[in-house]
Amino acid sequence: MISLLSFKDKFQRTMHKKGFQNVLTNKFGNPISSHENDAIGHYIYMKDGWTVHLVEFEQMNNYLWHSALPSNLYALLPYKKDILFARNDSIFETFTSFLLNDNYKISIPSNSMSFLHQIKSSTFVKCQPILQPEEKHPDVRKVTSTIKEMKKIFEPHLMDFWLTSGTLLGWYRECDVISYTTDVDFGMWAADVSSLESLIQIIRKSNLLELETRYGLKKLTGDNFTRNIISLVIKTDMSTAKGKSVVYNQSRINHVRKSLNCSVIRIISK
């Protein structure tokens, strides 16, 4: 296997040989050195409207991370819209790959559609706790397993979802799960779902999640369809899955439904 260093040297020589110019320049207007390229992890070459961007990914825990291009260099790019991996620190799912070009040892993700789909939501936001809770959630694994199950059932459909409400607050405020929470809150764009019934059918295929009740709109309507939101509330504490907990959330859900024009689905984590 060719080393990363020799690959980058060969890549740069090939770009120059093909007439591509290194568009990353220093304060004197000269192309930055290979050493500087190595430090920032980005190589950007352009020629006749074509852009070639080489980005270094680093393995971090169970995902891949790459740094943003420094702002002073990003400001110099003539065609910023073409540089998808430069503006933010980003993370991607670890992926398998296959060899595309044996001469240059270039590999691409085996599931290229999944990789490309992640770009729009790949910005990495580091958690910085502003509160140290006195108690920890009694069963964090239940919460994390629920999130993993959501990823498992929605990713094959290329459907994005995100943390909302108390679950998001716990991550932002504590980098953790709020100690007294009994559910996990998710949101997703209605535009990613052909119908609410199709979404419900996807959820029902899970062995770990059980649909309890559904509130809100029966149909996804509105002039701006892409702004409609579906809220998924997954109960993780079976002892409070019925009764007052649902009554309390009923009023909150009605308020959310009216203000955001959204549908809310309540699910129980088995």
Side-chain angles (χ1 to χ4, degrees), residues 55-59 61-66 85 91-99 106-116 118-119:
V55 187
E56 291 186 32
F57 283 77
E58 295 183 22
Q59 186 76 46
N61 298 320
N62 60 343
Y63 56 85
L64 296 172
W65 172 90
H66 75 76
F85 300 93
I91 59 172
F92 290 80
E93 298 285 343
T94 300
F95 53 81
T96 58
S97 60
F98 67 89
L99 201 61
I106 296 176
S107 298
I108 65 173
S110 301
N111 189 340
S112 57
M113 289 297 294
S114 175
F115 177 79
L116 293 173
Q118 293 178 57
I119 293 176

Side-chain angles (χ1 to χ4, degrees), residues 19-213:
F20 281 82
Q21 298 297 316
N22 184 353
V23 299
L24 299 181
T25 58
N26 57 28
K27 62 181 179 180
F28 302 108
N30 299 318
I32 63 175
S33 66
S34 298
H35 175 72
E36 290 173 303
N37 271 128
D38 290 342
I40 63 175
H42 290 266
Y43 303 77
I44 303 177
Y45 294 84
M46 292 184 178
K47 175 188 176 183
D48 299 333
W50 289 88
T51 302
V52 177
H53 184 193
L54 175 65
V55 187
E56 291 186 32
F57 283 77
E58 295 183 22
Q59 186 76 46
M60 297 183 66
N61 298 320
N62 60 343
Y63 56 85
L64 296 172
W65 172 90
H66 75 76
S67 66
L69 189 66
S71 57
N72 62 313
L73 294 177
Y74 183 79
L76 299 175
L77 297 178
Y79 305 108
K80 295 180 177 60
K81 65 180 180 64
D82 296 330
I83 313 299
L84 300 178
F85 300 93
R87 190 166 188 175
N88 304 297
D89 289 4
S90 298
I91 59 172
F92 290 80
E93 298 285 343
T94 300
F95 53 81
T96 58
S97 60
F98 67 89
L99 201 61
L100 181 66
N101 185 303
D102 187 62
N103 185 34
Y104 294 103
K105 304 299 182 187
I106 296 176
S107 298
I108 65 173
S110 301
N111 189 340
S112 57
M113 289 297 294
S114 175
F115 177 79
L116 293 173
H117 180 77
Q118 293 178 57
I119 293 176
K120 64 180 181 180
S121 58
S122 63
T123 300
F124 177 69
V125 180
K126 186 176 181 179
C127 177
Q128 297 178 326
I130 59 177
L131 179 67
Q132 293 295 331
E134 296 181 359
E135 298 181 359
K136 291 287 187 179
H137 190 279
D139 195 356
V140 173
R141 287 181 298 178
K142 186 77 170 181
V143 175
T144 55
S145 64
T146 298
I147 296 174
K148 289 179 180 179
E149 180 67 7
M150 288 288 289
K151 282 171 56 63
K152 178 182 176 181
I153 64 177
F154 284 115
E155 279 188 346
H157 301 276
L158 298 182
M159 296 164 65
D160 294 321
F161 66 90
W162 56 87
L163 302 180
T164 64
S165 304
T167 308
L168 178 60
L169 176 63
W171 176 87
Y172 175 79
R173 191 176 63 185
E174 307 169 18
C175 294
D176 207 339
V177 180
I178 295 176
S179 61
Y180 51 83
T181 190
T182 59
D183 57 31
V184 187
D185 303 294
F186 299 102
M188 62 189 308
W189 294 118
D192 290 343
V193 184
S194 58
S195 69
L196 283 178
E197 293 306 319
S198 66
L199 175 61
I200 291 171
Q201 291 304 316
I202 292 173
I203 294 170
R204 283 177 173 161
K205 291 179 180 179
S206 169
N207 294 323
L208 298 179
L209 304 178
E210 179 182 348
L211 182 66
E212 184 193 27
T213 51

Side-chain angles (χ1 to χ4, degrees), residues 192-245:
D192 290 343
V193 184
S194 58
S195 69
L196 283 178
E197 293 306 319
S198 66
L199 175 61
I200 291 171
Q201 291 304 316
I202 292 173
I203 294 170
R204 283 177 173 161
K205 291 179 180 179
S206 169
N207 294 323
L208 298 179
L209 304 178
E210 179 182 348
L211 182 66
E212 184 193 27
T213 51
R214 189 184 78 191
Y215 304 99
L217 304 177
K218 293 183 178 180
K219 296 182 179 180
L220 301 175
T221 59
D223 295 332
N224 193 346
F225 185 73
T226 59
R227 294 185 66 86
N228 286 345
I229 296 173
I230 298 173
S231 178
L232 303 172
V233 183
I234 300 181
K235 298 298 297 184
T236 56
D237 186 347
M238 292 295 291
S239 64
T240 59
K242 303 289 184 180
K244 292 183 179 180
S245 177

